[in-house]
Amino acid sequence: MKKIRWGILSTGNVANSFVKDIKHVPDAEVIAVGSRNQETADTFGQKYNIPHCYSSYEALANDPDVDVIYIATPHVFHAENSILCMEAGKAVLCEKAFSIHAGEARTMIQVARQNNVFLMEALITRHFPVIHQVLDWVNTGQIGEVRLVQANRCVRGEFTPESRVMKRELGGGSLLDLGIYVIGFSSMIFGQAPQHISGFGFVGDYGPDEQGASLLEYEQGAMAVLTFALRTDTVNEAYIYGTKGYIKLPDLFAVPHKASLHIKGQSEIEFEKPIIGNGLYYQVKEVHRCLRESLLESPRMPLEESLQIMETMDAIRSSWDLTYPNDSNQSL
Ligand SMILES: NC(=O)c1ccc[n+]([C@@H]2O[C@H](COP(=O)([O-])OP(=O)(O)OC[C@H]3O[C@@H](n4cnc5c(N)ncnc54)[C@H](OP(=O)(O)O)[C@@H]3O)[C@@H](O)[C@H]2O)c1
C-alpha cells in the first residue's frame, strides 16, 4: 500500500510526541518538517530522520510530495497555519483547541470546503479504543437515558511565565488547553450543543485563566459538570450517569485505557486495552482511514462539532475577564 506522507508544522513538545508515535503506523511516513528557522527544522529533521527540512511554514505547505500536514503551533496560530496548508491543497490535522474562537473555526471549515481538502481537529481522546467502547455502551442504551456527565481535567503544572500555556497572547490557559477535553467529551456523549451555559473562571496574575468550572444544560435538563485547571490537581475521572446505571472512566485524560459499566442489579463489566505509544497513534489511524476512503472530514470528529465546541468555549469565557488577541477579528 502506498504510504501517506506527512509534514510536521512546528517543532515543539507535541510535535516531538507525534513523530515518535507515528512510527507505530506502518503506512505513514514523515517526509517534511517546517519551522520558523532553518536550524530548528534541521535539528528536528536529523533527530527523526526527516528528509525535507524547511525554514518556513510556507515552504512546508508548498512541498509537492506532502499529502497531509500536522499543525502543532500555539492556539492563536491554528487558523492561519491550517488555512495556509489547505490553500496549498494539503489535508490538515490541526491540534486542539481547533482555533481561538468560533469565527476562526467557521473560516477554517469554509476554506477546507472551498479547496476540497480533509480537515480534522486533533482531539486525541476521541480515538482511543476505550472511548469507542464507552460510546458503544451509551449508544446501545446500556445505562438508559444519559442524565449527567461529570468530568475533570485538572493538573498543577509548575509552569513558568514563559511557558506557552501561561501566555494569553498565544491562547494559553486552562480553557483552551484542558477545558477542551472535558467540553469535547460532554459534546461527544450528548451529541448536541448545550442549551444553557454557566460557570466561573479564575484569571491569574500571569494573564491566562488558571482554572474554570462549567455547568452545561442539554435537552430535557440533562447536564454536564466540568472542571479544568492548570494550577490545581484533581483526580481526573469521568462519570456518565444514566437512568439505568453509570459508566466510570478512572483516568480519562492521560492515557485513557480503562472503563467500567455499572448497570443496576448486575455485576460490573470492565474494559481495558493498553495504549500504543503516547496515544497520538489513534488519530493518525483515523486520518489515514478518512483519506483512503476519500472522506473530507472524520465522522468521529466532525467539523460542525469542532465549531460547536468553539462556540461553547466562547460562551463559557464570555462572562469571564478573558479575551485573546484574535478576538477582534471574528471573520479572520
Ligand atoms: N494532543 C496532545 O496530547 C497535546 C499535548 C500538548 C499540547 N497539545 C497542543 O499542541 C499545540 C502545541 O503545544 P506544545 O505544548 O507542543 O507547544 P510548544 O512546545 O510551545 O511548541 C509550539 C511550537 O509552535 C511554533 N511556534 C510558532 N509561533 C510561535 C510563537 N510565537 N511562540 C512559540 N512557538 C511558536 C514553535 O515551533 P518552531 O519554532 O519550529 O516554528 C514551537 O516550538 C497546542 O495546540 C496544544 O494545545 C496537544
Side-chain angles (χ1 to χ4, degrees), residues 30-219:
V30 177
I31 64 155
V33 57
S35 175
R36 288 168 302 165
N37 73 70
Q38 191 66 56
E39 198 184 337
T40 325
D42 290 341
T43 306
F44 192 89
Q46 279 157 17
K47 192 167 162 190
Y48 299 110
N49 206 15
I50 300 171
H52 308 178
C53 303
Y54 296 111
S55 63
S56 74
Y57 299 154
E58 288 77 9
L60 171 70
N62 289 312
D63 182 330
D65 294 333
V66 169
D67 299 313
V68 49
I69 295 183
Y70 172 59
I71 312 283
T73 47
H75 306 141
V76 284
F77 304 118
H78 286 180
E80 175 189 326
N81 299 152
S82 299
I83 289 169
L84 171 77
C85 297
M86 292 190 288
E87 286 185 336
K90 301 294 190 272
V92 165
L93 172 66
C94 178
E95 259 306 336
K96 48 50 78 172
F98 198 45
S99 57
I100 283 289
H101 53 65
E104 287 187 343
R106 249 176 240 113
T107 309
M108 291 160 76
I109 294 168
Q110 199 182 346
V111 173
R113 291 184 177 150
Q114 277 163 356
N115 288 278
N116 216 24
V117 292
F118 175 85
L119 173 64
M120 185 177 101
E121 180 180 6
L123 195 51
I124 54 168
T125 39
R126 192 143 299 201
H127 306 286
F128 289 114
V130 67
I131 297 296
H132 296 189
Q133 178 60 71
V134 166
L135 272 179
D136 187 56
W137 283 335
V138 170
N139 293 338
T140 55
Q142 303 291 316
I143 58 167
E145 185 192 337
V146 177
R147 301 298 302 148
L148 181 66
V149 166
Q150 291 176 335
N152 305 329
R153 181 52 171 130
C154 303
V155 293
R156 181 171 174 81
E158 294 308 321
F159 302 111
T160 64
E162 289 70 44
S163 159
R164 176 191 62 76
V165 296
M166 295 310 260
K167 286 191 174 163
R168 191 199 290 214
E169 66 271 25
L170 294 181
S174 65
L175 177 65
L176 294 189
D177 264 287
L178 300 176
I180 174 76
Y181 287 111
V182 285
I183 295 159
F185 181 72
S186 179
S187 166
M188 179 185 73
I189 297 300
F190 287 110
Q192 57 180 280
Q195 295 180 336
H196 299 105
I197 295 169
S198 69
F200 294 98
F202 171 69
V203 178
D205 293 341
Y206 294 140
D209 51 308
E210 293 188 8
Q211 64 181 26
S214 231
L215 181 59
L216 309 181
E217 189 186 23
Y218 295 87
E219 276 172 6

